Amino acid sequence: MHCPDQPGIIAVITDFITTNRGNIIYLDQYVDRQNGIFYMRVEWELENFMIPAEKIDEYFNTLYARRYELTYRISFSTRRQRMAIFVSKMSHCLYDMLARHMAGEWDVDIPVIISNHPDLAIAGKQFGIPFEHIPVTRDNKEEMEKREFVILDRHKVDFIVLARYMQVLSEDFIRRYPNRIINIHHSFLPAFVGAKPYHQAYERGVKLIGATSHYVTADLDAGPIIEQDVARISHKDTIDELVKKGRDLEKIVLSRAVEKHIQRKILTYNNKTVVFS
Amino acid sequence: MHCPDQPGIIAVITDFITTNRGNIIYLDQYVDRQNGIFYMRVEWELENFMIPAEKIDEYFNTLYARRYELTYRISFSTRRQRMAIFVSKMSHCLYDMLARHMAGEWDVDIPVIISNHPDLAIAGKQFGIPFEHIPVTRDNKEEMEKREFVILDRHKVDFIVLARYMQVLSEDFIRRYPNRIINIHHSFLPAFVGAKPYHQAYERGVKLIGATSHYVTADLDAGPIIEQDVARISHKDTIDELVKKGRDLEKIVLSRAVEKHIQRKILTYNNKTVVFS
Amino acid sequence: MHCPDQPGIIAVITDFITTNRGNIIYLDQYVDRQNGIFYMRVEWELENFMIPAEKIDEYFNTLYARRYELTYRISFSTRRQRMAIFVSKMSHCLYDMLARHMAGEWDVDIPVIISNHPDLAIAGKQFGIPFEHIPVTRDNKEEMEKREFVILDRHKVDFIVLARYMQVLSEDFIRRYPNRIINIHHSFLPAFVGAKPYHQAYERGVKLIGATSHYVTADLDAGPIIEQDVARISHKDTIDELVKKGRDLEKIVLSRAVEKHIQRKILTYNNKTVVFS
Amino acid sequence: MHCPDQPGIIAVITDFITTNRGNIIYLDQYVDRQNGIFYMRVEWELENFMIPAEKIDEYFNTLYARRYELTYRISFSTRRQRMAIFVSKMSHCLYDMLARHMAGEWDVDIPVIISNHPDLAIAGKQFGIPFEHIPVTRDNKEEMEKREFVILDRHKVDFIVLARYMQVLSEDFIRRYPNRIINIHHSFLPAFVGAKPYHQAYERGVKLIGATSHYVTADLDAGPIIEQDVARISHKDTIDELVKKGRDLEKIVLSRAVEKHIQRKILTYNNKTVVFS
């Protein structure tokens, strides 16, 4: 939740939970004093909670939403989210996520992998996940995206991860999944926006390369940043070596972002993210 | 404050502040679920607070301390703390702190520098801070520490920073300043305890060197860790180069710890620290 | 190669290569002045080289080895090495390596996975690599290792990677693969040697956790360190969260070490490594 | 030195030194295969060297320069370089360098500090270094720079460090000191070029802030990068906190670059740097 900062707001909310016998197991809050906004994420057990699960939203809304100008979202950890992965030809981010999923690290379902190339069909087979080959080109994008929407709907997909997917989504596509498409860009944004960032980094002679995971918005590579990291390089590194060192960065930075999204610990506001720990 | 974790404890405390018209400007809390302990740091403005400053402790104690088994400390940001710096011959940590102090980065007074060697008297002169040369040796430690106590008392010192001070303090000394002596050890503790850690690191062939700032306890290099960091080295680095790379680590890691202490953001429990952000 | 440092040694070796029409494509050297030892790694193309491949060793030995007290090793990049992976139940390091192998990142064959538990047989199946279940216990180690030797010989294994393999190898086993068994230890060695390092780290209250890849020697967790890295943690992290954050460290630190070994860029001397870039 | 890559070039140069009884104490080389350029830095003792110091340049030039199209520079470590520091009002980078100088960490003379504000005159006084107040504004730049040239010449300054100097130098100024003016920019270049980079970083919502030291060229913030580093931030950090965290980055990143320059370990080519270790 977030709302205009105001005295006593934490007490009001925590009181609501504890007097109704909810056991708070996580609470993190933060006040953006520059803009006067209060952010909070709170998690509680429903076992003895006196308000039935399906009524919480109504009660919360009636009692607090208007009074405190609260924007909030209620999620139940019992509902497992469903995530689609989009790929092109590079496998490192995809395998990293499939391995985590297989090991039970993530509380998420992966009902489908979609790709504009057939190359990674093998990964779908290995991990038992349906693989759909949708050969998007510049000319057939509208038609192909329609086919993608059908697939995403059929699989009841909640959010999408672009795991080095080399196509730009249409504005229509992005509008359907606001703050629910996570991309990995292989540079330290906002440096090296657009194509071939490792080539750009090599040309500029930087001493660190980076990777950035962010929510996709209509502006290319300009959406809210979720996570970033860098690795040291030197004059000895060729572009091929930047690409290689970058792969490890990309997969870790993307997976950290996906994990936070699965845990519902990211709050977006003003094209920025609050990422709770 | 910290206390056994219990339902509603945040609401109780924040309610106490806001109903008495205190404006909360900082709140951070954390529950150690492994041990069932609740930690919180809260800062509020006293301008319109209905309880007079000198009565807050009494009220807080009466109303909550016993009831919730609370351990707490109340500090007023208007009271500037006084910090003594102990050094031997190496100047990098000392100058780093003096430069911060000079630039007004830290809300602290530095009334005295104490050293077992005369070498750094010049630094005292440059920055206008009294420098006391107390030539401690293994044999005269008790007597010399008595002289140090007199100096520390005279300057009303609240806490002490050992900025590469190469002497071990007596247990009596340590007992007088519980969680109020900050040391920098030039290794990633608990690796390389004791003397000559860079030599030890070189011998072992590690690929990273570290530095650790911690509160001093009777066990050598075993007190609660406040901050640590590392730097990458390679087989090419001689011991001299480890020492050189280590200096930058040491001064930054020590200054980060001192800053958190000045801000009263460190809470110590079970030989560990909770460092609020 | 390494030898006592002496004037002109680089000129001698590079001259040998270039006058015989070898095209040097990589050269890195380093002098350990503390101990007076010269280390060099040089790679050249054999296309126009005037000495036949099978005679290079003989010529090099005759002309230089005794004269300069040279210790050297000649490898041909055309010969692909064969690596066995040992695992127990945890899959993150295994999958990370299998994914790299699958993507063609590494110039290596993986003929077999060996495990003391059946759990990860599925990974072998997914990636088409024979999986051998050898249920080692404290009591049957000698017998089980004999079975492992047979398997390793049959698959002509050059080196072994212990990917979170939870058994200690016998001295006999280690002696058979000197500097050819790579282990990942889930701490910043030499801190937290032995069992349950994350528990030890939690107890000590460190602010960074680490991972260390090293060659296995008869001394537990004391072999030559190849690579290390750390990740920042805080008081908020439970042991479970240390384990989780540690997984990403472990797999990256292990894979970096394996890659350097595959590239034959690690030189071991005095229980330390020289890792060429 | 650098030259087109060619077989045997290392042997030729090292042979020249060793047959003339020079004792090589440092050698590092690197081949940029993408562009076919060979770079080398070699350091040797002159004690028994058969060519007199003042003749080395001539001999080297005659024997090798044209033949191998070599670009080279010969420096004598006995000649101490002279460095001027330019500052405005912020002291952290200045004090960091003065403290290193005072401790004898750097083999350099600092004959003068120049500033467009009088604020840091105190630092000159503390460390016994002449401080010149040259109140540059947009309108009087040409005239003021003339005064600076006089001062720089009088002090026989070899190179200049801009330690958070908030003025843009004229092209004429920059032309006089090619690859001899080191600047610190408080962002991870090429992100956030120009004014107020921390404000830009805050607006964009990045998760890391950076600092970049580079040689100054006529293009603002676009000169060859010498060193970069980053620090992690979070949504909790206000602009003031970015500024504060940035200070530690800036001073360390600048001092690393200055040190490499003093050691003559930076080679510039194609608007990029080769920084030898």
Side-chain angles (χ1 to χ4, degrees), chain D residues 198-213:
Chain D
Y198 292 128
H199 287 72
Q200 294 182 52
Y202 180 82
E203 279 314 309
R204 181 61 188 91
V206 291
K207 299 299 182 186
L208 301 167
I209 52 168
T212 304
S213 52

Side-chain angles (χ1 to χ4, degrees), chain B residues 85 87 90-99 113 120 123-124 131 163:
Chain B
I85 304 177
V87 291
M90 273 165 293
S91 63
H92 55 289
C93 291
L94 175 62
Y95 274 126
D96 195 65
M97 290 189 285
L98 295 179
I113 299 166
L120 296 178
F131 178 93

Side-chain angles (χ1 to χ4, degrees), chain C residues 125-188:
Chain C
K125 219 170 271 174
Q126 288 171 306
F127 287 83
I129 294 172
F131 178 92
E132 302 276 359
H133 175 215
I134 312 286
V136 183
T137 62
R138 204 169 283 184
D139 301 324
N140 68 4
K141 184 174 289 183
E142 203 180 328
E143 185 202 335
M144 289 296 122
E145 288 196 345
K146 267 183 201 151
R147 287 173 53 185
E148 290 170 347
F149 296 150
V150 172
I151 296 168
L152 295 170
D153 287 348
R154 194 175 66 226
H155 287 292
K156 298 198 180 74
V157 163
D158 291 301
F159 71 99
I160 294 163
V161 178
L162 308 183
R164 297 299 313 276
Y165 181 61
M166 305 300 279
Q167 294 288 320
V168 175
L169 304 178
S170 73
E171 291 200 22
D172 177 39
F173 194 129
I174 294 165
R175 221 175 295 119
R176 283 172 182 243
Y177 293 91
N179 290 330
R180 293 195 283 140
I181 306 171
I182 300 171
N183 184 41
I184 179 73
H185 184 76
H186 39 312
S187 85
F188 182 81

Side-chain angles (χ1 to χ4, degrees), chain C:
Chain C
M1 49 164 283
H2 58 87
C3 64
D5 189 26
Q6 49 209 295
I9 182 70
I10 294 183
V12 166
I13 304 299
T14 58
D15 209 53
F16 165 74
I17 296 166
T18 53
T19 59
N20 288 300
R21 299 197 192 151
N23 184 25
I24 293 177
I25 53 173
Y26 175 101
L27 183 150
D28 204 354
Q29 51 75 48
Y30 139 76
V31 182
D32 172 354
R33 292 184 203 289
Q34 226 132 349
N35 300 297
I37 300 160
F38 172 81
Y39 298 87
M40 185 158 79
R41 183 181 180 279
V42 57
E43 206 177 323
W44 69 95
E45 291 173 336
L46 293 185
E47 208 185 340
N48 302 310
F49 201 52
M50 304 194 63
I51 306 172
E54 68 281 5
K55 290 276 183 182
I56 295 172
D57 194 355
E58 186 198 315
Y59 273 63
F60 197 77
N61 192 44
T62 309
L63 294 170
Y64 308 109
R66 240 186 335 171
R67 193 150 139 213
Y68 297 101
E69 291 176 64
L70 266 170
T71 302
Y72 68 94
R73 205 178 58 221
I74 292 173
S75 312
F76 296 95
S77 61
T78 45
R79 195 179 100 59
R80 224 170 139 86
Q81 294 170 89
R82 297 169 69 76
M83 138 181 159
I85 304 177
F86 278 51
V87 292
S88 288
K89 293 180 169 185
M90 272 164 294
S91 65
H92 54 291
C93 292
L94 175 64
Y95 274 125
D96 195 65
M97 290 189 284
L98 295 179
R100 290 172 199 267
H101 181 246
M102 184 87 186
E105 285 186 38
W106 285 352
D107 187 26
V108 79
D109 288 328
I110 305 180
V112 66
I113 299 166
I114 292 177
S115 179
N116 56 332
H117 292 287
D119 308 52
L120 296 177
I122 176 74
K125 219 170 271 174
Q126 288 171 306
F127 287 83
I129 294 172
F131 178 92
E132 302 276 359
H133 175 215
I134 312 286
V136 183
T137 62
R138 204 169 283 184
D139 301 324
N140 68 4
K141 184 174 289 183
E142 203 180 328
E143 185 202 335
M144 289 296 122
E145 288 196 345
K146 267 183 201 151
R147 287 173 53 185
E148 290 170 347
F149 296 150
V150 172
I151 296 168
L152 295 170
D153 287 348
R154 194 175 66 226
H155 287 292
K156 298 198 180 74
V157 163
D158 291 301
F159 71 99
I160 294 163
V161 178
L162 308 183
R164 297 299 313 276
Y165 181 61
M166 305 300 279
Q167 294 288 320
V168 175
L169 304 178
S170 73
E171 291 200 22
D172 177 39
F173 194 129
I174 294 165
R175 221 175 295 119
R176 283 172 182 243
Y177 293 91
N179 290 330
R180 293 195 283 140
I181 306 171
I182 300 171
N183 184 41
I184 179 73
H185 184 76
H186 39 312
S187 85
F188 182 81
L189 286 176
F192 311 131
V193 165
K196 293 194 172 280
Y198 291 128
H199 287 73
Q200 294 183 53
Y202 180 82
E203 279 314 309
R204 181 62 188 91
V206 291
K207 300 299 184 188
L208 301 168
I209 52 167
T212 305
S213 51
H214 63 93
Y215 286 120
V216 175
T217 58
D219 288 340
L220 188 67
D221 299 333
I225 292 171
I226 304 168
E227 170 66 346
Q228 301 187 288
D229 215 338
V230 298
R232 190 157 288 275
I233 58 166
S234 84
H235 59 268
K236 294 189 187 176
D237 289 303
T238 60
I239 291 176
D240 282 353
E241 282 158 327
L242 300 195
V243 169
K244 177 179 238 174
K245 289 188 176 179
R247 276 194 297 253
D248 282 3
L249 265 185
E250 293 162 24
K251 73 186 186 192
I252 297 295
V253 167
L254 178 59
S255 286
R256 280 188 204 144
V258 170
E259 182 164 313
K260 288 290 183 185
H261 186 93
I262 292 171
Q263 296 170 337
R264 302 173 176 95
K265 287 193 170 170
I266 309 174
L267 213 153
T268 308
Y269 190 81
N270 260 350
N271 204 43
K272 299 207 263 186
T273 62
V274 170
V275 181
F276 289 109
S277 62

Side-chain angles (χ1 to χ4, degrees), chain B residues 155-174:
Chain B
H155 287 291
K156 298 197 181 73
V157 163
D158 292 301
F159 70 99
I160 294 164
V161 178
L162 308 183
R164 297 300 312 276
Y165 181 62
M166 305 301 279
Q167 294 289 320
V168 175
L169 304 178
S170 73
E171 290 199 26
D172 177 38
F173 194 129
I174 294 165

Side-chain angles (χ1 to χ4, degrees), chain D residues 241-252:
Chain D
E241 283 157 328
L242 300 195
V243 169
K244 177 180 239 174
K245 289 189 177 180
R247 277 194 297 251
D248 282 2
L249 264 185
E250 293 163 23
K251 73 186 186 192
I252 297 294

